Amino acid sequence: MTIQTHILGYPRIGAKRELKFAEEAYWKGESTQAEFLSKAQAIEASNWQAQVDAGLSLLTVGDFVFYDSILTHAVRLGIIPPRFDEAAKLNPVDQQFYLARGRAPACTDVAALEMTKWFDTNYHYLVPEFTVNQTFTADFSDLFAQIDRAKAFNTPLKVVVPGLLTFLYLSRIVDDQQKIKETHVCGCGSEHKDIAADKATLQFVDALIPVYAQLFDELKARGVEHVQIDEPILVLDLASEWQAAFERVYNLLQRRDGLKLIVTTYFETLGTNLNLAVNLPVAGLHIDITREKVGEFFWKKVIDQLPTHKILSLGLINGRSVWASDLPALNEVVETAKKALGDRLWLSTGCSLLHVPVDLNSEQVPAAIEGKLAFARQKLDELVALATGNIYANEKLNKTAQSAFELVGQSRPEPFAVRFKVQQEKFKLPLIPTTTIGSFPQTQEIRAARAAWNKGNLSNADYEAAMKKEIAYAIEQQEQLDLDVLVHGEAERTDMVEYFAGLLDGFWLSKFGWVQSYGSRCVRPPIIVGDITRPNAMTVKWIEYANSLTNKIVKGMLTGPVTILNWSFPPAHRTRREVCLQLAEAIRLEVADLQNAGIEIIQIDEAAFREGLPLRKADQAAYWDWAVKSFKHCSSSANVGTQIHTHMCYSDFKDCLPQITEMDADVITIETSRSGLQLLEMFHQQGYPNAIGPGVYDIHSPRTPSADNMRTVINGALQTIPAERLWVNPDCGLKTRNWEETRAALKQLVDMAKQVREELAA
Ligand code: GLN
Ligand code: ZN
């Protein structure tokens, strides 16, 4: 008996980010579309070749797209919002890029589609926008061409298609006339929004069913036997309307003779949707067993309840982890499942491999973790090893990880009211003090110096001197602008997480470990490999230097533990809670060192505070508990007179304001310029007691913000927040602007604040 093996998807960026470079060259007009397509197809072919070489029994087709699968699907269905009417003259490749970027050759620039986090990952999909009267056309010719290319690999094909209901769930009905907002990518390059179902899109079920039916008929006509129909929303706490829609849709889509639909779920167990999912009238079901809790054995329940004619694809290789699998342990699962299912058992990865780096091959892995890692390419081999019973015990693998220390978490002894009073008297800042979120333009000189230093062409001393020069420049500019609380500008940091990961023990920074974040943007998350400790102070020398150049207060700048964790690959077998508290201890020590060096205001950024939130409500309280605890632990070394700031980039606080309050930062700066004043109103209604700095202008807009707009935000803020507890700052991300824009905008900001101050005094 042979067990079928397949994956849900393979990274599309290429082992050396070839797709990114090909796309960006094409967008800049440096290459033709034909050249771009030939590069893209080379990656597509090498992805298939990897699956064939590994010996997978099915070749996955349709996962390879240029920008994002949901976007590609939307364009294939003709869902092009009216403001993109010029897209009519573009071919489908450029149409996709036009929707994603708001920009295309010979077309007017318009607001791009919005992006949202793909479930609980750091990948972002583009949100399809429907009009109220949306109709659908179907042009799947590029998918068919892909299928034809895949046939050359002489391996049975399985085609991936976004599920009808997941697609609707992720889409929005948008009033295009009012859609003047640009895509909001935060300064950190992330969009922090969560998916949220819009039930209104359910009305389009009936219109989409014939489109899917026709697609399935055409796939069948092309000799395709299996379709992986991705319905990951089946792992969410689904409202009853959506549950009912599942039954209806799959009843209507069933019986396309000969074509086998595998309803595919991932990122969680099926939870309360188990019954619904196993009984859908389809040929099979895919489940992700890598997210099960210890001892849960949810997969056994699935096997018990699955009707006896159905295929079960068990996703047992973790598609979100960079660690090698414990094959003997997984083999026991396979043996049990095989007994129950016989050749109805398929083996797969839990989710698409999109979320892990491509190949370990070109990495120089340090001895301590050698043999313990597996990127996408290595996971293919693991899968085949499991299916063929060719398993080997990996002696290097830690089955359980011991942490050297476990922390409880401390907090500051004095309540906010006491700290506030001490700090007011000590700092004597003006009303509504002005500050920025931390970074200043990462100039060409900064990048050049860092590149030279990394290559060994610039000595440590010269690099340090170059960074200090930038810091001095940033301080000088801020003094001229007359900002109240200054920052050093973060010249020495490429990235707010990578910088700290590079200096803490317990991390490994890979060279090619890139994963797609959105479009051509890739991130290289640090890998947590052991206990986190802080061998030396990480930021003190830079901040201290900045502080020495001015009589004004310089704010120290740190990244918080939750954000470091959420933007890293976690270790195998250790809880996120435990790792987060270790990170918190490292940051706590840094806070203490900064304080000892005379730094009186310290910002601990938690850009990704919310991003690790579990998908299911029932699991969320535990997350909040350790996330808040970790943040408080960092600030616990601050004396009563040391002011702790935090910064968060998103506007979606509706379900976590109590937790934000509990973090108890003296000042929180939040993104406000796009979310409007409702956000502040929400803080007000919840009785948020501490100080707030709403972002009064959106740094992503290349236009100099008008003082009027800033004024509107501040006036609004003053309605709900007493002036004593209000700060004035831009949104985050100044590192992405140039100095000229930054100066012009900050000048407006400071002038406006001064004027408001005068008015308040009068
Ligand atoms: N201090 C960081 C900066 O200003 C914060 C970045 C972020 O919040 N994403 O760049
Ligand atoms: Zn931010």
Side-chain angles (χ1 to χ4, degrees), residues 58-59 61 143-144 147-148 150-151 154-159 214-227 256-260:
L58 291 168
L59 199 58
V61 181
L143 177 63
F144 302 147
I147 293 171
D148 292 340
K151 283 182 179 162
N154 290 319
T155 307
L157 307 182
K158 179 205 64 184
V159 174
Q214 188 196 337
L215 167 65
F216 292 158
D217 289 342
E218 292 192 57
L219 291 175
K220 209 186 101 198
R222 285 182 154 72
V224 173
E225 198 185 343
H226 292 108
V227 174
R256 317 229 71 84
D257 295 320
L259 191 69
K260 299 192 173 109

Side-chain angles (χ1 to χ4, degrees), residues 186 188 437-439 490 496 557 605 607 647 649 732:
C186 172
C188 51
I437 306 303
S439 61
E490 303 179 25
M496 63 189 287
M557 197 56 57
D605 283 327
H647 161 74
C649 312
C732 67

Side-chain angles (χ1 to χ4, degrees), residues 234 263 265 270 273-280 282 285 306 310:
L234 276 169
V263 167
T265 66
L270 290 165
N273 299 321
L274 168 64
N275 209 3
L276 171 70
V278 293
N279 290 313
L280 292 174
V282 290
L285 179 68
L306 192 75
K310 284 194 186 175

Side-chain angles (χ1 to χ4, degrees), residues 561-635:
V562 184
T563 298
I564 298 181
L565 177 68
N566 284 339
W567 285 345
S568 299
F569 280 113
H573 311 296
R574 282 171 58 200
T575 63
R576 289 195 295 161
R577 174 186 188 280
E578 174 193 309
V579 177
C580 200
L581 279 161
Q582 287 192 350
L583 283 162
E585 172 65 4
I587 302 297
R588 188 187 70 86
L589 296 171
E590 191 71 16
V591 167
D593 281 353
L594 283 170
Q595 184 171 256
N596 289 339
I599 306 303
E600 302 175 286
I601 298 187
I602 300 168
Q603 178 172 313
I604 306 170
D605 283 327
E606 282 290 18
F609 197 65
R610 228 175 146 282
E611 299 203 357
L613 191 65
L615 293 171
R616 295 241 187 82
K617 284 260 168 334
D619 301 325
Q620 293 177 352
Y623 173 83
W624 286 128
D625 180 67
W626 58 253
V628 171
K629 215 169 248 164
S630 299
F631 182 85
K632 292 177 85 171
H633 185 74
C634 302
S635 41

Side-chain angles (χ1 to χ4, degrees), residues 207-461:
L208 270 180
I209 284 180
V211 179
Y212 270 75
Q214 188 196 337
L215 167 65
F216 292 158
D217 289 342
E218 292 192 57
L219 291 175
K220 209 186 101 198
R222 285 182 154 72
V224 173
E225 198 185 343
H226 292 108
V227 174
Q228 166 189 327
I229 181 147
D230 280 359
E231 292 284 16
I233 61 165
L234 276 169
V235 308
L236 303 177
D237 299 315
L238 279 186
S240 55
E241 294 90 330
W242 288 95
Q243 292 181 328
F246 264 97
E247 290 186 347
R248 183 145 175 276
V249 164
Y250 284 89
N251 273 308
L252 290 168
L253 281 177
Q254 72 171 326
R255 262 195 279 287
R256 317 229 71 84
D257 295 320
L259 191 69
K260 299 192 173 109
L261 300 189
I262 312 293
V263 167
T264 300
T265 66
Y266 37 86
F267 299 148
E268 258 301 343
T269 65
L270 290 165
T272 48
N273 299 321
L274 168 64
N275 209 3
L276 171 70
V278 293
N279 290 313
L280 292 174
V282 290
L285 179 68
H286 171 90
I287 57 168
D288 182 351
I289 74 166
T290 65
R291 300 293 283 272
E292 292 197 2
K293 299 183 180 71
V294 180
E296 191 178 7
F297 299 114
F298 196 90
W299 57 274
K300 291 190 181 171
K301 285 191 214 159
V302 178
I303 291 180
D304 286 346
Q305 296 200 27
L306 192 75
T308 55
H309 62 278
K310 284 194 186 175
I311 294 165
L312 182 67
S313 164
L314 264 192
L316 33 60
I317 303 287
N318 192 338
R320 308 262 303 260
S321 158
V322 291
W323 300 96
S325 306
D326 179 357
L327 294 179
L330 290 180
N331 190 48
E332 287 177 27
V333 176
V334 175
E335 288 302 328
T336 310
K338 207 156 60 175
K339 273 195 205 104
L341 298 163
D343 57 10
R344 293 188 290 123
L345 174 66
W346 289 15
L347 296 185
S348 185
T349 51
C351 61
S352 166
L353 295 173
L354 182 76
H355 309 290
V356 288
V358 182
D359 196 349
L360 200 52
N361 238 339
S362 20
E363 296 287 349
Q364 302 248 327
V365 179
I369 49 167
E370 222 237 282
K372 297 184 182 184
L373 295 164
F375 290 177
R377 177 62 189 86
Q378 288 66 44
K379 290 187 193 291
L380 302 181
D381 294 334
E382 292 185 340
L383 198 52
V384 173
L386 280 172
T388 52
N390 202 2
I391 51 150
Y392 43 88
N394 183 344
E395 301 300 336
K396 296 193 166 144
L397 227 55
N398 310 339
K399 300 274 167 58
T400 51
Q402 313 254 337
S403 71
F405 56 98
E406 161 85 45
L407 294 152
V408 205
Q410 306 156 14
S411 44
R412 302 178 81 173
E414 309 83 5
F416 172 74
V418 173
R419 304 193 309 257
F420 182 70
K421 199 150 170 287
V422 174
Q423 292 164 17
Q424 287 285 80
E425 279 160 20
K426 177 174 159 196
F427 296 133
K428 301 211 165 36
L429 288 166
L431 269 184
I432 60 164
T434 52
T435 189
T436 61
I437 306 303
S439 61
F440 274 117
Q442 285 266 327
T443 59
Q444 201 41 49
E445 292 78 51
I446 298 179
R447 272 186 266 244
R450 186 158 26 249
W453 179 55
N454 283 332
K455 284 202 187 101
N457 297 338
L458 194 69
S459 72
N460 287 346

